[in-house]
């Protein structure tokens, strides 16, 4: 009953006109980002964080979360209409989605995808509601040693985000740790890695780094595409037939289960959920022989799994403070920028904000259905804007965004510098995700380590003498050692451009 009351209070906060506008803007921007091929949710969220810095924490996180799951909806539109996925998780939808377009069923495909996304996202959010209270109560048992152990589990995700090379992932992670150490030593109070520059005493701006590494490097590495002819479906063709609804229902159920389960596992991205959902349709669908030829199951399953994953991936972040994917790591950075620490203490120290954000997830999923289906023609018209103009507008937005962090030109140069660094890392095939992971978790880990050692007067056994801390450290060590056990990862994860 307490959970229900807190959720209702969350709806009361989320339904204020200010937060409704933020949710709507987030859904709108997320859809636009999803429609644009090549940007993706990581760069999209990173690009728009500067826009939210001066907002109140609740509205800021509501908007960024809406951008995150909005990209999953937007990516479907170009997959179905143009055979060009807007983001990686929608790639598998191109197979049957575009085949349906060629059969004159584009409207039905987009509607089924939108409804499936709504179903998957809503059920995953219900899972977050159910898990929030019991896991949030862990906050009463968490002290600096347990928090340090949680950070060890978080850092261990380097293994899951490593991609093709663990060595390159460690290089990326080490870079993130070095960047996070710039500024004033939190205990000794002495400057470190500032090279005598007063502007670095407060550290390097996280937002400028993220915008540069993900956003600017993405733009700089973007290849000029050919002009595309877009044919948007008419409004009358948007409604699926009764047969298509009946065929989609089991696929949505399977997609929800797969997406939700994989969302809870650190390192699994939305593209893995979509791919495995498509594989499940190949095995269990009554119409499996039609897959690849325009079967509605090939759209319903992956799109449902994609959005169920996006919402379920927020559960480890909200309840344990563990960023399970690169996009979630960027979101965690946004939380910290707003003075909120995701994890068990979020529900004890900022309960009102946490429940308002959860309630906004239900509202955002509904808004996305209303935005996506009737306005398909509008979204596809964005692709008619010439690429040079679109790129110039995005670059202008990034420069303004970096400048407004502290109204300093220095942050613009920081953004440009890290954009070039990100471009070099992409060229060397060094994954960017481990760097942002350690950049976010490094300071938290250092602070909790030092606080723990102050409590124990320098005795490291404090991490082994407390049961929760001990279990978490063992879990982290097992994750780190998993490559030695030759646990094979799915090929899709290895090739995932998000990682």
């Amino acid at each position: 009953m307490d959970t229900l009351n807190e959720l209702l209070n969350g709806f009361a906060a989320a339904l204020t006109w200010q937060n409704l506008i933020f949710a709507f803007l987030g859904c709108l921007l997320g859809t636009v980002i999803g429609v644009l091929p090549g940007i993706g949710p990581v760069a999209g969220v990173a690009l728009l964080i500067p826009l939210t810095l001066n907002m109140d924490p609740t509205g800021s996180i509501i908007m960024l979360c809406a951008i995150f799951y909005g990209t999953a909806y937007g990516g479907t539109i170009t997959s179905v209409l143009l055979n060009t996925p807007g983001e990686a998780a929608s790639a598998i939808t191109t197979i049957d989605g575009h085949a349906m377009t060629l059969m004159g069923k584009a409207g039905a495909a987009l509607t089924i995808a939108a409804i499936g996304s709504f179903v998957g996202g809503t059920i995953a959010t219900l899972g977050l509601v159910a898990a929030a209270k019991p896991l949030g109560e862990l906050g009463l048992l968490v002290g600096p040693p347990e928090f340090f152990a949680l950070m060890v589990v978080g850092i261990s995700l380097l293994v899951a985000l490593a991609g093709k090379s663990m060595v390159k992932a460690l290089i990326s992670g080490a870079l993130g740790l070095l960047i996070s150490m710039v500024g004033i030593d939190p205990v000794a109070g002495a400057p470190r890695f500032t090279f005598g520059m007063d502007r670095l005493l407060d550290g390097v701006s996280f937002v400028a780094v993220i915008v540069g590494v993900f956003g600017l490097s993405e733009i700089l590495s973007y290849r000029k595409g050919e002009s595309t002819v877009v044919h948007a479906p008419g409004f009358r063709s948007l409604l699926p037939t009764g047969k298509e609804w009946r065929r989609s229902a089991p696929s949505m159920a399977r997609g929800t289960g797969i997406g939700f389960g994989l969302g809870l596992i650190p390192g699994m991205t939305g593209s893995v959920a979509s791919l495995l959902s498509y594989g499940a349709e190949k095995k269990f669908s009554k119409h499996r022989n039609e897959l690849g030829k325009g079967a509605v199951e090939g759209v319903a399953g992956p799109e449902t799994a994609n959005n169920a994953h996006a919402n379920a991936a927020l559960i480890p972040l909200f309840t344990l403070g563990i960023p399970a994917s690169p996009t979630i790591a960027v979101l965690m950075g946004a939380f910290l920028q707003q003075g909120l620490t995701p994890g068990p203490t979020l529900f004890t120290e900022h309960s009102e904000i946490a429940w308002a954000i959860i309630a906004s997830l239900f509202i955002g999923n509904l808004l996305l259905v209303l935005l996506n289906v009737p306005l398909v023609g509008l979204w596809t018209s964005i692709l008619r804007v010439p690429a040079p103009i679109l790129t110039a507008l995005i670059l202008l937005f990034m420069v303004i965004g970096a400048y407004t962090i502290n109204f300093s030109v220095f942050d613009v140069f920081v953004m440009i510098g890290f954009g070039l660094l990100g471009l070099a890392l992409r060229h060397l095939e060094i994954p960017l995700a481990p760097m942002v992971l350690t950049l976010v978790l490094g300071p938290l880990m250092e602070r909790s380590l030092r606080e723990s050692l102050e409590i124990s007067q320098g005795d490291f056994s404090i991490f082994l003498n407390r049961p929760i801390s001990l279990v978490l450290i063992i879990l982290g060590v097992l994750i780190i050692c998993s490559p030695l056990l030759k646990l094979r990862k799915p090929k899709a994860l290895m090739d995932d451009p998000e990682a």
Side-chain angles (χ1 to χ4, degrees):
M1 187 59 73
D2 287 345
T3 300
L4 182 61
N5 287 334
E6 287 176 307
L7 180 62
L8 290 175
N9 290 334
F11 270 107
L15 287 172
T16 59
W17 67 268
Q18 297 97 330
N19 288 334
L20 277 175
I21 288 176
F22 292 141
F24 175 79
L25 284 175
C27 293
L28 186 69
L29 293 169
T31 302
V32 172
I33 290 167
V35 167
L36 296 173
I39 294 185
V42 186
V45 175
L47 278 170
L48 295 172
I49 284 180
L51 198 68
T52 65
L53 287 181
N54 295 321
M55 294 164 52
D56 77 286
T58 308
S60 166
I61 302 301
I62 284 176
M63 186 169 165
L64 290 172
C65 287
I67 291 169
F68 169 45
Y69 51 76
T71 55
Y73 279 78
T76 308
I77 296 173
T78 49
S79 295
V80 172
L81 296 182
L82 304 173
N83 201 25
T84 304
E87 44 101 26
S90 297
I92 197 71
T93 309
T94 58
I95 299 174
D96 286 277
H98 191 63
M100 288 182 72
T101 297
L102 298 177
M103 295 161 63
K105 297 180 179 179
L110 289 169
T111 302
I112 290 290
I115 299 299
S117 298
F118 172 75
V119 171
T122 302
I123 292 177
T125 307
L126 286 172
L128 174 56
V129 171
K133 192 68 179 179
L135 290 177
E137 289 176 351
L138 283 175
L140 300 175
L141 305 174
V142 169
E146 287 78 14
F147 197 80
F148 171 77
L150 264 178
M151 294 303 102
V152 171
V153 176
I155 292 287
S156 69
L157 297 182
L158 270 171
V159 173
L161 302 177
K164 299 176 181 176
S165 169
M166 180 57 68
V167 174
K168 291 181 177 179
L170 290 175
I171 293 172
S172 180
L175 279 173
L177 276 179
L178 283 173
I179 297 165
S180 72
M181 293 177 73
V182 175
I184 300 288
D185 185 306
V187 174
R192 62 184 184 189
F193 300 121
T194 60
F195 306 103
M197 299 174 67
D198 293 342
R199 292 180 182 277
L200 291 178
L201 289 176
D202 291 330
V204 181
S205 168
F206 169 80
V207 177
V209 172
I210 293 299
V211 171
V213 167
F214 283 109
L216 183 58
S217 69
E218 184 77 47
I219 296 296
L220 293 176
S221 60
Y222 186 72
R223 297 175 183 174
K224 184 180 179 182
E226 298 178 355
S227 59
T228 308
V229 178
V230 181
H231 298 287
F235 184 76
R236 285 187 175 183
S237 68
L238 292 177
L239 294 178
T241 64
K243 183 180 178 182
E244 288 169 334
W245 281 120
R246 287 191 294 275
R247 286 178 54 171
S248 300
S251 304
M252 290 182 188
R254 287 188 285 268
T256 299
I258 292 171
F260 183 81
L262 293 181
L264 301 177
I265 302 174
M268 289 293 175
T269 57
S271 53
V272 178
S274 301
L275 191 67
L276 292 186
S277 174
Y278 193 82
E281 295 310 307
K282 278 279 205 182
K283 187 172 183 62
F284 299 110
S285 172
K286 292 180 181 178
H287 307 276
R288 63 179 74 95
N289 293 332
E290 297 179 27
L291 282 165
K293 303 171 186 174
V296 72
E297 290 89 345
V299 176
E303 286 302 316
T304 305
N306 179 16
N307 272 71
H309 173 276
N311 286 264
L314 294 173
I315 295 176
L317 176 69
F318 273 69
T319 58
L320 300 174
I322 296 176
S325 73
T327 313
I328 297 293
V330 174
L331 265 180
M332 184 172 177
F335 270 79
L336 298 175
Q337 290 285 314
Q338 293 290 349
L340 306 171
T341 303
T345 56
L346 182 65
F347 289 92
T348 55
E349 296 177 0
H350 302 285
S351 175
E352 293 179 2
I353 296 176
W355 284 104
I357 295 168
I358 292 173
S360 77
L361 301 180
F362 291 102
I363 298 167
N365 274 291
L366 183 61
L367 285 173
L368 282 168
V369 173
L370 301 176
L371 272 173
N372 274 262
V373 177
L375 301 180
V376 166
L378 176 63
W379 303 129
T380 52
S381 67
I382 294 173
L383 296 173
R384 298 192 183 100
V385 178
I389 296 176
L390 205 56
T391 304
L393 289 174
I394 294 173
L395 285 172
L396 178 64
F397 176 80
M398 284 192 292
V399 171
I400 294 173
Y403 176 75
T404 54
I405 297 168
N406 295 307
F407 294 98
S408 167
V409 177
F410 181 75
D411 286 331
V412 177
F413 285 109
V414 170
M415 185 267 290
I416 294 172
F418 277 94
L420 295 174
L421 174 64
L423 184 65
L425 294 179
R426 287 174 189 271
H427 181 70
L428 296 171
E429 296 185 344
I430 294 176
L432 304 178
M435 185 168 77
V436 72
L437 185 74
T438 51
L439 180 62
V440 170
L441 297 185
L444 299 175
M445 193 173 184
E446 180 185 4
R447 188 179 63 190
S448 55
L449 172 65
R450 291 193 169 193
E451 288 175 352
S452 301
L453 293 178
E454 285 178 6
I455 293 172
S456 67
Q457 298 182 336
D459 185 359
F460 280 87
S461 65
I462 189 174
F463 301 111
L464 306 178
N465 294 333
R466 299 168 69 121
I468 296 177
S469 171
L470 177 62
V471 169
L472 290 171
I473 286 179
I474 291 174
L475 177 62
V477 171
L478 286 176
I479 294 174
I480 292 171
C481 294
S482 60
L484 301 177
L485 302 175
K486 297 182 178 180
L487 295 179
R488 296 187 62 185
K489 289 180 287 185
K491 186 176 185 303
L493 179 60
M494 302 285 287
D495 297 336
D496 193 340
E498 264 193 339

